Amino acid sequence: MVAIVGGLKRGEREYLEILKSYKLKGKVYNTQCPDFCKKIKNCEMCIIFTNLVSHNLLNSCNKVCKTQNIPIIHLNNNGISKLKENLEKNYK
């Protein structure tokens, strides 16, 4: 599973469709939810849209990913093209 942290609420469906095109399952977390750290603990990769996420959520995500050795991709832009570009590099 790929965890997408941040991003636009209206773009959730598109993010998940892009993941599906690479045969990946994913979950989008736009806001801090209960037991967030437990939910992303078992993901295989974490993609963070840094311009649309709170500092608290970003810090929590980075902490969990470092302790669990989960690869993190930081994207400054919330665009679909940047997500596709990074998935192309990692899952070609």
Side-chain angles (χ1 to χ4, degrees):
M1 181 183 89
V2 177
I4 298 178
V5 181
L8 296 171
K9 183 76 174 168
R10 65 177 184 255
E12 279 185 33
R13 189 182 49 143
E14 290 182 76
Y15 300 148
L16 294 175
E17 286 176 6
I18 291 169
L19 291 177
K20 193 182 283 188
S21 70
Y22 287 94
K23 295 180 176 61
L24 297 169
K25 292 184 180 181
K27 181 93 173 149
V28 179
Y29 299 98
N30 288 325
T31 58
Q32 185 85 26
C33 59
D35 298 328
F36 171 74
C37 295
K38 289 181 183 177
K39 290 179 181 180
I40 67 164
K41 198 177 265 191
N42 296 323
C43 67
E44 60 189 66
M45 181 173 65
C46 190
I47 300 170
I48 304 173
F49 291 114
T50 55
N51 63 339
L52 293 172
V53 69
S54 68
H55 284 82
N56 187 23
L57 190 59
L58 179 66
N59 292 335
S60 298
C61 186
N62 283 330
K63 182 179 170 184
V64 170
C65 290
K66 284 182 183 180
T67 58
Q68 299 295 322
N69 294 322
I70 299 170
I72 305 171
I73 296 175
H74 292 276
L75 300 176
N76 291 330
N77 188 352
N78 62 329
I80 302 296
S81 61
K82 286 289 184 185
L83 179 61
K84 284 181 183 178
E85 185 179 301
N86 279 285
L87 287 173
E88 188 75 26
K89 289 179 189 176
N90 294 313
Y91 291 98
K92 192 169 184 182

